[in-house]
Structure formats: C-alpha cells, structure tokens
Amino acid sequence: MSEPIIVSLLDADFYKFTMGQFVLKRFPNVPVRYEFKNRTKRVLLGKFVSEEDLRKELDAVRDLRFRAEELEFLRRIETNGKRLFSEDYLLFLKDLELPPYDLKHNGETIELSFSGSWREAIYWETLALSIANELYYRSAMKKMTAFEKDAIFAEGTVRLAEKIRLLKENPEIVFSDFGTRRRFSRLWHDYAVTSLAAELPKTQFIGTSNVYLAMKHGLKPVGTMAHELFMAAAAISGDGDEQIRQSHNDVLKTWREEYGEDLSIALTDTFGSEFFFNDMTEEQARNWKGLRQDSGSPTQFGEKAIQFYREKGVDFRQKTIVFSDGLDINTILMLYRQFNGRVKCVFGWGTNLTNDLGLGALSLVVKVVEANGRGTVKLSDNPAKATGKPEDVHKYKRIFGYAAGEYKECKY
Amino acid sequence: MSEPIIVSLLDADFYKFTMGQFVLKRFPNVPVRYEFKNRTKRVLLGKFVSEEDLRKELDAVRDLRFRAEELEFLRRIETNGKRLFSEDYLLFLKDLELPPYDLKHNGETIELSFSGSWREAIYWETLALSIANELYYRSAMKKMTAFEKDAIFAEGTVRLAEKIRLLKENPEIVFSDFGTRRRFSRLWHDYAVTSLAAELPKTQFIGTSNVYLAMKHGLKPVGTMAHELFMAAAAISGDGDEQIRQSHNDVLKTWREEYGEDLSIALTDTFGSEFFFNDMTEEQARNWKGLRQDSGSPTQFGEKAIQFYREKGVDFRQKTIVFSDGLDINTILMLYRQFNGRVKCVFGWGTNLTNDLGLGALSLVVKVVEANGRGTVKLSDNPAKATGKPEDVHKYKRIFGYAAGEYKECKY
C-alpha cells in the first residue's frame, strides 16, 4: 500500500472540530488520556493487525498537517448565520501535530492510547478507529481470491442499493452518514457517500459527519458533541458529588452559549437519559434544538422525549431527535413510522451504512479514560457501553441516580 | 462504443465448427435460410435496438476474418487422439466471409435473416444472438445512473458468487458454459468464465462452448451438434416420409463415422425424444457416449434414458447425459441429486450462467428455416419450442409419431 489510510486530518468526525474549538477555549490546559478498546472479544485484533502496519499508519497521521484549503473549508462553514470556527482556532489547527501514541502489541491484543493535552489529543479518536478498521479488513481479505474480493464489494453494493431503494420509497426519511469510525475502508466510505449523494436529494441525505468527504463532495458536515465532553468535564470538575452532577448542565449551558441554536443537539445518555431528562430545565428544553439518542431503547427514548417536552409545555413537533445507535434500514423504517409527524427525526447512520459488505463489523472505540488525572466515567443507557473504573462507575451511578438504563426512577 | 461486440469469429459456439466441418464435407452446396426470432413477445426489441446499431455490429462481423492464431488454435484441438479439424476445413475458414444479412427494422420488431450456402451461413447464429442481446442490455441500461449500473453488475457478481459457493459445496457437479448466445455482454461473459475457471477445478468446470474464451483462457471448447443438423438434413432428404424419417439416423451414423467416440453426444429432441429412443439402435446406444436433453422434463428424460439403456442391455452408468435446457443452480442440484451415480451427468449451463444480473433474459433464437428450398421443422419435447410452417409441422408429427412431448406412445 503506497498511500496511507488517512490522507487528510479532516478525514475525521465533524464533532471533533466543534468540540475541539470548545475545548481549546474552555479547557485549554487539561491533560487527558484516551484508550483504544476492542469490544468484540471474539476477534483477537492483534492477530489481524500487525504492529508494523499500525505504527506506519499512525505515524503517517502524525506527519499530516492541516492544509490551507482544508482550513479554508472550515473557515467557510457557517452556523446561525455566522462563521462557526474562529480564526484563533484555525491558527491553532494550522500548527497542530497530533501528540504521540503509546502502542503495546503482544501478537493478540492491541493496547493503544493517546496522552496529551485535551486540545491536541482530541483529534486521534476517529482517525485511529478508521485505521484499525481498515487494517483489519485488509487483513481479513488478504487470503481471498480476486473473485472473492469482487464478491465482497458486490455484496456491499447490492446492500447499499437496497438501502437506497427503500430510502427512495420513503423520501421523508432524513439521515446523515455517521460511519467514519467503523467504515470498511476510506475508499468504500467515499463510494458509499458519493453514491448516496448522487442518488438521493439533499433534503434526505443531509450530510456526513466526515469533514473530508463533506469538503470533497460539497456536502454538509454534520455533528455536535460526544460523550467525552461530559465525561472529561465531570472529571475536571473535582471530586464532589454536586460538582460532578453540575458539570453536565454546565457543559450544556456553555455549549449553548458558544454555538447557539444550530449546534444545540444534546447528547442524552452520558450518565443515563433518566438523569438527563430530570436535569434539563424547561428553558433548555425550549432553547435546545433537540436530542441525540445513542444507547438503550430508541422507541422508549422517543416516547420519553415526547412526554418530557409535553410536560415542559414545549411543542415537541418542532424538536429534533437524532437517532444514532446501531441503526440499520429496518430500525430506521421502524423509528420513522413510529415518530414521523410527531417529532423531527434525523438518523445518524453509522457502521451499517459504511461497513455492510457481509464481513461483520467490529465494535472498536477510543474513549477518554482520564482528565486532569481523574478517571472518567460513561454510564450510557446500555450497561454494556459503560466505561470507567468500577469504583468510579459506582460513584457516578450514585451521583446520577442511575438505574441501569431503566426509567423506573425517572418521572419521564 | 469504439470496439465492436464481436471481435473474433471464434466468439461463437464450438458446435458451429464441428457442424461446420461436417456440413462442408457432407452438404457442401446446400442453400439455406436462417431466421432470427424473438420468442419474448412482451419485449418489442426494435424499440431497444436501433437499426443503425444492429447494422454496424453485423457489418463488423462481415469484416472479420479468422486470424492465423485462431486457426492455429482450432488446428491443435484433438479428439480421439487425433486432430479434430482437417486442413481442408481450416483453409475454407481462412477465406471465409460471412454471407450478407437481410434486415427489416420497423421500429418495433426486427426481421433478420441470413441466406446463403449452409457451409457459410452456419456461423451467423450465435454471433447474431450475442449481438442482439448485448445491444438490448446496453439500451436497457442507457438511462441508468452510474450507481444503478454498479448495482446491476454487483447483483450479477453476488449471484455468480452464490453459484460458485454451491458448486464448491458439490464438487461432483460437472458443467460447462453454454451461455454465449444469451449472454449479457461479451465482457460479462468473459468475467463469468474467468471467475469460474479461477474458482473451480477443471474436473468440475470442464469447459466452455465459446471457442474464443476457450482459446483466451486455456479451457476446453465444448459442444457437438445442434437441431439444425437434423432439421436441414431432413429437408434435404426429400419429400418422402421414409426419407425424412431415415434422415435422422443417417445424421447419427455419419456423425459417428466422422467424429468417433469423443463427439458422440446425441441431441435427442429435434423430432421428439420419443422418436429418438424408438429409433436409436442397440449398437448406437452402445457406441454413442451419451445424450443431450434440451426440452421437456429433464427428470422424466433421465429416467427414460436409463430405462432405454437398460432395455438395450447397455451399462448406463458409463453413459453421459448432458442437460442443457434452461438450467439454473437449483435445477442443476435437483438433477444432480436424482442422477448422480446412476449416469454421468454433465450440465450445459446457458442463459442463467452468463446473464443473471437481475434484468431478465430474452428468449432469442436464430433457426434454420429452409434448406434446399424446403421448409425445416423442429418438434422438440416442448411444443412451445416447435418451429416450421404449420403444414410441415403437421407432416413431421405424423412421420415421427410425435405426441406433444409426452411419452405415452413410446415404449421407453
């Protein structure tokens, strides 16, 4: 392979940049640590991905710099009728070199982490995930015959065509590509996004989370915030229960101040959506454009959200719910039928959109595990997605009144 | 399109050459007429295939000559341990220019015929069919988007991969490609044959009826005789019942003399297999390698064939039945399970092997309709496949004791 997997630092999720600017401004000097984790235990990733290949690709990322035209693309992005990214932030990006990685490869498992200043280390997440995925699939296909490889891509194309057919049959379904981190490969991702953009109107395929592909194909870059923002902010806030609990709403407040209406889609499950709905004020319910659902039952979440808005006296038909947890076309159709006309539905379609070629997907994540020397915690509405040291998780569950993703202690 | 569809006169079925040499030697001066016919009534072919395009492609065929390396490939083919094609025949081919075609295109239907000496006109059949098919699919895809076209080829690849998977699961299934005449396109045909040859052993994918692809990919060219041989021979024999009836066995006798054991697979249904089994002698049953089934019920045919050999005292386990009528993988599996171990099964897989991309196939044929000024007749075991003027068909049914493909008047 002559060309590296990552050829542009924009080949990452848009939320890395919206969060990146936020972090640069609000948390400029916080040391953090991110860890790579393979949740798919049955696959010993180190048997597929060699240390040499992985180092080569990660090193290639560290050699990359933002190019003038890439910064110019960011410069031209507008939200709320004005520039989204400040010149200070673009200057920072211009000189950015990603911090070193720490890799231990024992032939079976891969220990990979990124330590550094939050403002710099934040960009590694989706880049590293795209690399690990692509190296895995290259390895999985290495022993295939030419025809077997053809058949894989053909299967992917047929599945993509079936998705497009169903989307054309349901033109009111609105979605964007969220599949950068778990894509089969950069080229396949590009092919899928190109095909979706060519076949569907922009009112239906509204954009992509991948900034590089957004630039390349004239699409809207889509995204707001990730769990890490709440996780790190909580760890940074101190050790006290009240500080930790309060940190979540502080993030919402400052984010809304920073980015206004356009980027006010709140991620709801960092410490469980039960807490989220209890914590969000009526004013926030009114001011925030909508909510993102990323774990637990999407149907239950949607109904709870509608009930939440109703009790706050907010017209939920004007609110957006972004569903982004493990979607496939059937789930999308089901959620669309359930919620269309009641709330504005948007689907953030990830793995199954960019990695559905019949080979099975890995569940790889890069999570912030430490901020300011304290361990971070994510609870989520799916206990399997919880992260953090057991004692920290226990503590956070107590602080956030977490009941394992169930809503029984939640008034909504 | 810069390159014509047909780029080699070898891009035809092998039986055109085995019959071609036979005709040159035994029927050197017989005027014949072939007619193109679209059996798929729902498709008005003339709306898809323009007169201009069709003429351009047919003219390109008339401009072709056999190249030295093509004749050399034919020269090296051996059967029964000696050269199959005589130097006289190769000299004839060297100078061959295909006779003119007669085309009437009224915007909806296409009337296309080929008149000339049998020895020269015989080569038009599969060339014209390959052209008509490819022009039709080009036209059908003209308005598709780039992605829709991708999806068609992807569907074809996925279906081919599924065939290959099932064939690998059943390595005793033996087949050859018979799909030249109804292929989707030359390039798709080439891709399918290339992939089959790469994925399957030569003991399973034993060859192709397409001489050009056989040469290109080092495969065995496969084929013996077609209905036209019996049809024209019957017309040439005269008007008398006995001459017409006798002509069939005369063809078998002279063919066996000419080509020996290796090419002694008899086509059985020209005048109905009922007649065939009643007419074939014990010596022929013993001397001929096997039979080809091309219409009617293949299971019923196979059982009748076994019963036929049993009553003739012939070890049917040593005999080959070539099934070649409208096969798909399910029919092949079914016939294989029914007959494997009882007779030697070979599958001559046509349309569904080279034109299974989801667009549906046309049933186009080019049939000899006149020889020596007399109308020809094919009865077949499927009344829908019968050809000939009604009075001639009636006469032939009487002569051959034909009972609409049923076996009730047949002792076998």
Side-chain angles (χ1 to χ4, degrees), chain A residues 145-148 150-151 153-158 160-161 164 168 191 195 198-199, chain B residues 145-148 150-151 153-158 160-161 164 168 191 195 198-199:
Chain A
T145 65
F147 179 73
E148 285 168 343
D150 283 2
F153 290 108
E155 182 68 32
T157 304
V158 166
L160 181 58
I164 288 172
K168 284 184 173 175
Y191 177 71
S195 303
E199 294 293 315
Chain B
T145 65
F147 180 73
E148 284 167 344
D150 282 3
F153 290 108
E155 183 67 33
T157 304
V158 166
L160 181 58
I164 289 173
K168 284 184 174 178
Y191 177 71
S195 302
E199 294 294 313

Short mmCIF file of all heavy atoms in Angstrom, two decimals, chain A residues 145-148 150-151 153-158 160-161 164 168 191 195 198-199, chain B residues 145-148 150-151 153-158 160-161 164 168 191 195 198-199:
data_model
loop_
_atom_site.label_atom_id
_atom_site.label_comp_id
_atom_site.label_asym_id
_atom_site.label_seq_id
_atom_site.Cartn_x
_atom_site.Cartn_y
_atom_site.Cartn_z
N THR A 145 -9.34 -14.85 -2.92
CA THR A 145 -9.04 -14.78 -4.35
C THR A 145 -9.60 -13.47 -4.90
O THR A 145 -10.40 -12.79 -4.25
CB THR A 145 -9.71 -15.95 -5.10
OG1 THR A 145 -11.14 -15.80 -4.99
CG2 THR A 145 -9.31 -17.29 -4.52
N ALA A 146 -9.15 -13.17 -6.12
CA ALA A 146 -9.64 -11.93 -6.76
C ALA A 146 -11.17 -11.95 -6.85
O ALA A 146 -11.83 -10.95 -6.58
CB ALA A 146 -9.04 -11.80 -8.16
N PHE A 147 -11.72 -13.10 -7.18
CA PHE A 147 -13.18 -13.16 -7.31
C PHE A 147 -13.87 -13.03 -5.96
O PHE A 147 -14.91 -12.38 -5.84
CB PHE A 147 -13.63 -14.45 -8.00
CG PHE A 147 -15.13 -14.52 -8.12
CD1 PHE A 147 -15.79 -13.72 -9.04
CD2 PHE A 147 -15.87 -15.34 -7.28
CE1 PHE A 147 -17.17 -13.74 -9.13
CE2 PHE A 147 -17.25 -15.37 -7.37
CZ PHE A 147 -17.91 -14.57 -8.30
N GLU A 148 -13.29 -13.64 -4.94
CA GLU A 148 -13.89 -13.50 -3.60
C GLU A 148 -13.91 -12.03 -3.16
O GLU A 148 -14.87 -11.58 -2.55
CB GLU A 148 -13.12 -14.36 -2.59
CG GLU A 148 -13.44 -15.84 -2.72
CD GLU A 148 -12.49 -16.74 -1.94
OE1 GLU A 148 -11.38 -16.29 -1.56
OE2 GLU A 148 -12.84 -17.93 -1.74
N ASP A 150 -14.01 -9.47 -5.28
CA ASP A 150 -15.08 -8.87 -6.09
C ASP A 150 -16.44 -9.10 -5.43
O ASP A 150 -17.29 -8.21 -5.38
CB ASP A 150 -15.15 -9.53 -7.47
CG ASP A 150 -14.06 -9.04 -8.41
OD1 ASP A 150 -13.23 -8.22 -7.99
OD2 ASP A 150 -14.06 -9.48 -9.58
N ALA A 151 -16.62 -10.33 -4.94
CA ALA A 151 -17.93 -10.70 -4.38
C ALA A 151 -18.23 -9.90 -3.11
O ALA A 151 -19.38 -9.57 -2.83
CB ALA A 151 -17.99 -12.20 -4.11
N PHE A 153 -17.21 -6.75 -2.47
CA PHE A 153 -17.62 -5.40 -2.89
C PHE A 153 -18.99 -5.43 -3.57
O PHE A 153 -19.79 -4.50 -3.42
CB PHE A 153 -16.56 -4.77 -3.79
CG PHE A 153 -15.31 -4.43 -3.04
CD1 PHE A 153 -14.15 -5.16 -3.20
CD2 PHE A 153 -15.31 -3.39 -2.12
CE1 PHE A 153 -13.00 -4.87 -2.48
CE2 PHE A 153 -14.17 -3.08 -1.39
CZ PHE A 153 -13.02 -3.83 -1.57
N ALA A 154 -19.24 -6.51 -4.30
CA ALA A 154 -20.56 -6.64 -4.94
C ALA A 154 -21.66 -6.75 -3.88
O ALA A 154 -22.71 -6.12 -3.99
CB ALA A 154 -20.56 -7.88 -5.85
N GLU A 155 -21.39 -7.54 -2.85
CA GLU A 155 -22.37 -7.67 -1.77
C GLU A 155 -22.62 -6.31 -1.12
O GLU A 155 -23.76 -5.93 -0.85
CB GLU A 155 -21.84 -8.67 -0.73
CG GLU A 155 -22.79 -8.95 0.43
CD GLU A 155 -24.04 -9.70 0.02
OE1 GLU A 155 -23.97 -10.52 -0.92
OE2 GLU A 155 -25.11 -9.44 0.62
N GLY A 156 -21.55 -5.57 -0.90
CA GLY A 156 -21.69 -4.23 -0.33
C GLY A 156 -22.52 -3.32 -1.22
O GLY A 156 -23.36 -2.55 -0.74
N THR A 157 -22.29 -3.40 -2.52
CA THR A 157 -23.03 -2.56 -3.47
C THR A 157 -24.50 -2.95 -3.51
O THR A 157 -25.38 -2.09 -3.52
CB THR A 157 -22.40 -2.68 -4.88
OG1 THR A 157 -21.01 -2.35 -4.79
CG2 THR A 157 -23.08 -1.74 -5.85
N VAL A 158 -24.76 -4.26 -3.51
CA VAL A 158 -26.15 -4.72 -3.53
C VAL A 158 -26.88 -4.26 -2.27
O VAL A 158 -28.03 -3.80 -2.32
CB VAL A 158 -26.20 -6.26 -3.68
CG1 VAL A 158 -27.58 -6.79 -3.36
CG2 VAL A 158 -25.78 -6.65 -5.10
N LEU A 160 -26.10 -1.68 -0.41
CA LEU A 160 -26.26 -0.22 -0.49
C LEU A 160 -27.42 0.13 -1.43
O LEU A 160 -28.22 1.03 -1.14
CB LEU A 160 -24.94 0.41 -0.98
CG LEU A 160 -24.91 1.94 -1.11
CD1 LEU A 160 -25.24 2.61 0.22
CD2 LEU A 160 -23.53 2.40 -1.60
N ALA A 161 -27.51 -0.60 -2.53
CA ALA A 161 -28.60 -0.35 -3.49
C ALA A 161 -29.96 -0.62 -2.85
O ALA A 161 -30.93 0.10 -3.10
CB ALA A 161 -28.41 -1.23 -4.73
N ILE A 164 -30.78 2.29 -0.65
CA ILE A 164 -31.18 3.44 -1.46
C ILE A 164 -32.60 3.25 -2.02
O ILE A 164 -33.40 4.17 -2.04
CB ILE A 164 -30.15 3.68 -2.59
CG1 ILE A 164 -28.86 4.23 -1.97
CG2 ILE A 164 -30.69 4.63 -3.66
CD1 ILE A 164 -27.68 4.34 -2.93
N LYS A 168 -35.58 5.76 -1.22
CA LYS A 168 -36.36 6.43 -2.28
C LYS A 168 -37.85 6.17 -2.11
O LYS A 168 -38.68 7.03 -2.43
CB LYS A 168 -35.90 5.95 -3.66
CG LYS A 168 -34.57 6.55 -4.09
CD LYS A 168 -34.18 6.13 -5.51
CE LYS A 168 -32.94 6.89 -5.94
NZ LYS A 168 -32.45 6.45 -7.26
N TYR A 191 -17.07 5.85 -1.61
CA TYR A 191 -18.00 5.32 -2.62
C TYR A 191 -19.45 5.37 -2.12
O TYR A 191 -20.37 5.78 -2.84
CB TYR A 191 -17.61 3.89 -2.99
CG TYR A 191 -18.57 3.25 -3.97
CD1 TYR A 191 -18.61 3.67 -5.30
CD2 TYR A 191 -19.45 2.25 -3.56
CE1 TYR A 191 -19.49 3.09 -6.20
CE2 TYR A 191 -20.34 1.67 -4.45
CZ TYR A 191 -20.36 2.10 -5.77
OH TYR A 191 -21.24 1.55 -6.65
N SER A 195 -22.29 7.73 -3.71
CA SER A 195 -23.49 7.11 -4.29
C SER A 195 -24.75 7.66 -3.64
O SER A 195 -25.74 7.96 -4.32
CB SER A 195 -23.43 5.59 -4.12
OG SER A 195 -22.25 5.09 -4.72
N ALA A 198 -25.38 11.07 -4.94
CA ALA A 198 -25.82 11.10 -6.33
C ALA A 198 -27.26 10.62 -6.47
O ALA A 198 -28.00 11.09 -7.33
CB ALA A 198 -24.90 10.22 -7.18
N GLU A 199 -27.67 9.69 -5.62
CA GLU A 199 -28.98 9.06 -5.78
C GLU A 199 -30.09 9.74 -5.01
O GLU A 199 -31.26 9.59 -5.36
CB GLU A 199 -28.89 7.59 -5.34
CG GLU A 199 -27.99 6.73 -6.21
CD GLU A 199 -28.55 6.55 -7.61
OE1 GLU A 199 -29.75 6.28 -7.73
OE2 GLU A 199 -27.78 6.72 -8.59
N THR B 145 -28.41 5.51 -13.74
CA THR B 145 -27.33 6.30 -13.16
C THR B 145 -26.09 5.40 -13.01
O THR B 145 -26.18 4.17 -13.11
CB THR B 145 -27.71 6.83 -11.77
OG1 THR B 145 -27.88 5.70 -10.89
CG2 THR B 145 -29.01 7.61 -11.80
N ALA B 146 -24.96 6.05 -12.75
CA ALA B 146 -23.72 5.28 -12.57
C ALA B 146 -23.89 4.26 -11.44
O ALA B 146 -23.46 3.11 -11.56
CB ALA B 146 -22.58 6.23 -12.25
N PHE B 147 -24.55 4.67 -10.38
CA PHE B 147 -24.72 3.74 -9.26
C PHE B 147 -25.67 2.60 -9.61
O PHE B 147 -25.45 1.45 -9.22
CB PHE B 147 -25.21 4.46 -8.00
CG PHE B 147 -25.39 3.50 -6.85
CD1 PHE B 147 -24.28 2.98 -6.21
CD2 PHE B 147 -26.65 3.10 -6.45
CE1 PHE B 147 -24.42 2.07 -5.18
CE2 PHE B 147 -26.80 2.19 -5.41
CZ PHE B 147 -25.68 1.68 -4.77
N GLU B 148 -26.72 2.92 -10.35
CA GLU B 148 -27.65 1.85 -10.76
C GLU B 148 -26.93 0.81 -11.62
O GLU B 148 -27.17 -0.40 -11.49
CB GLU B 148 -28.84 2.44 -11.51
CG GLU B 148 -29.84 3.13 -10.58
CD GLU B 148 -30.87 3.99 -11.31
OE1 GLU B 148 -30.65 4.32 -12.49
OE2 GLU B 148 -31.88 4.34 -10.68
N ASP B 150 -23.67 0.18 -11.44
CA ASP B 150 -22.85 -0.57 -10.47
C ASP B 150 -23.67 -1.67 -9.81
O ASP B 150 -23.20 -2.79 -9.62
CB ASP B 150 -22.35 0.36 -9.35
CG ASP B 150 -21.18 1.22 -9.78
OD1 ASP B 150 -20.78 1.15 -10.95
OD2 ASP B 150 -20.67 1.96 -8.92
N ALA B 151 -24.89 -1.31 -9.43
CA ALA B 151 -25.73 -2.26 -8.69
C ALA B 151 -26.10 -3.46 -9.55
O ALA B 151 -26.23 -4.58 -9.04
CB ALA B 151 -26.98 -1.56 -8.17
N PHE B 153 -24.19 -4.82 -11.97
CA PHE B 153 -23.01 -5.71 -12.02
C PHE B 153 -22.76 -6.35 -10.65
O PHE B 153 -22.33 -7.50 -10.57
CB PHE B 153 -21.78 -4.94 -12.51
CG PHE B 153 -21.88 -4.58 -13.96
CD1 PHE B 153 -22.10 -3.27 -14.37
CD2 PHE B 153 -21.80 -5.57 -14.93
CE1 PHE B 153 -22.21 -2.95 -15.72
CE2 PHE B 153 -21.93 -5.26 -16.28
CZ PHE B 153 -22.14 -3.94 -16.68
N ALA B 154 -23.04 -5.59 -9.59
CA ALA B 154 -22.89 -6.15 -8.25
C ALA B 154 -23.86 -7.32 -8.05
O ALA B 154 -23.49 -8.37 -7.52
CB ALA B 154 -23.12 -5.07 -7.20
N GLU B 155 -25.09 -7.13 -8.49
CA GLU B 155 -26.08 -8.20 -8.37
C GLU B 155 -25.60 -9.44 -9.14
O GLU B 155 -25.70 -10.56 -8.65
CB GLU B 155 -27.43 -7.71 -8.91
CG GLU B 155 -28.57 -8.71 -8.78
CD GLU B 155 -28.97 -8.97 -7.35
OE1 GLU B 155 -28.88 -8.04 -6.52
OE2 GLU B 155 -29.35 -10.12 -7.03
N GLY B 156 -25.09 -9.20 -10.33
CA GLY B 156 -24.57 -10.31 -11.13
C GLY B 156 -23.43 -11.02 -10.43
O GLY B 156 -23.34 -12.26 -10.44
N THR B 157 -22.55 -10.26 -9.81
CA THR B 157 -21.40 -10.85 -9.11
C THR B 157 -21.86 -11.64 -7.90
O THR B 157 -21.37 -12.74 -7.63
CB THR B 157 -20.41 -9.75 -8.70
OG1 THR B 157 -20.03 -9.00 -9.86
CG2 THR B 157 -19.17 -10.34 -8.05
N VAL B 158 -22.80 -11.08 -7.16
CA VAL B 158 -23.32 -11.78 -5.97
C VAL B 158 -23.98 -13.10 -6.39
O VAL B 158 -23.79 -14.14 -5.74
CB VAL B 158 -24.30 -10.86 -5.21
CG1 VAL B 158 -25.10 -11.66 -4.19
CG2 VAL B 158 -23.53 -9.74 -4.51
N LEU B 160 -23.37 -14.82 -9.10
CA LEU B 160 -22.30 -15.72 -9.56
C LEU B 160 -21.57 -16.33 -8.36
O LEU B 160 -21.26 -17.53 -8.35
CB LEU B 160 -21.34 -14.95 -10.47
CG LEU B 160 -20.17 -15.74 -11.07
CD1 LEU B 160 -20.67 -16.93 -11.89
CD2 LEU B 160 -19.30 -14.83 -11.94
N ALA B 161 -21.33 -15.51 -7.35
CA ALA B 161 -20.64 -16.00 -6.15
C ALA B 161 -21.48 -17.07 -5.45
O ALA B 161 -20.94 -18.06 -4.93
CB ALA B 161 -20.36 -14.84 -5.20
N ILE B 164 -21.09 -20.25 -7.36
CA ILE B 164 -19.77 -20.84 -7.11
C ILE B 164 -19.73 -21.48 -5.73
O ILE B 164 -19.17 -22.56 -5.54
CB ILE B 164 -18.67 -19.77 -7.30
CG1 ILE B 164 -18.53 -19.43 -8.80
CG2 ILE B 164 -17.34 -20.23 -6.72
CD1 ILE B 164 -17.62 -18.27 -9.12
N LYS B 168 -18.95 -25.34 -5.14
CA LYS B 168 -17.86 -25.81 -4.28
C LYS B 168 -18.37 -26.79 -3.22
O LYS B 168 -17.67 -27.70 -2.82
CB LYS B 168 -17.16 -24.62 -3.60
CG LYS B 168 -16.26 -23.85 -4.55
CD LYS B 168 -15.51 -22.73 -3.84
CE LYS B 168 -14.50 -22.09 -4.79
NZ LYS B 168 -13.77 -20.97 -4.20
N TYR B 191 -15.92 -12.30 -17.94
CA TYR B 191 -15.72 -12.22 -16.49
C TYR B 191 -16.26 -13.48 -15.79
O TYR B 191 -15.60 -14.04 -14.90
CB TYR B 191 -16.41 -10.97 -15.93
CG TYR B 191 -16.32 -10.85 -14.43
CD1 TYR B 191 -15.11 -10.54 -13.81
CD2 TYR B 191 -17.44 -11.06 -13.63
CE1 TYR B 191 -15.02 -10.43 -12.44
CE2 TYR B 191 -17.35 -10.96 -12.25
CZ TYR B 191 -16.14 -10.65 -11.66
OH TYR B 191 -16.05 -10.56 -10.29
N SER B 195 -13.90 -16.12 -13.88
CA SER B 195 -14.10 -16.36 -12.45
C SER B 195 -14.35 -17.83 -12.17
O SER B 195 -13.81 -18.39 -11.20
CB SER B 195 -15.28 -15.51 -11.95
OG SER B 195 -15.04 -14.14 -12.20
N ALA B 198 -11.15 -19.66 -12.43
CA ALA B 198 -10.23 -19.38 -11.33
C ALA B 198 -10.68 -20.06 -10.04
O ALA B 198 -9.86 -20.47 -9.22
CB ALA B 198 -10.12 -17.87 -11.11
N GLU B 199 -11.98 -20.18 -9.85
CA GLU B 199 -12.51 -20.66 -8.57
C GLU B 199 -12.72 -22.17 -8.52
O GLU B 199 -12.74 -22.75 -7.44
CB GLU B 199 -13.84 -19.96 -8.27
CG GLU B 199 -13.71 -18.46 -8.02
CD GLU B 199 -12.93 -18.15 -6.75
OE1 GLU B 199 -13.21 -18.76 -5.72
OE2 GLU B 199 -12.02 -17.29 -6.81
#
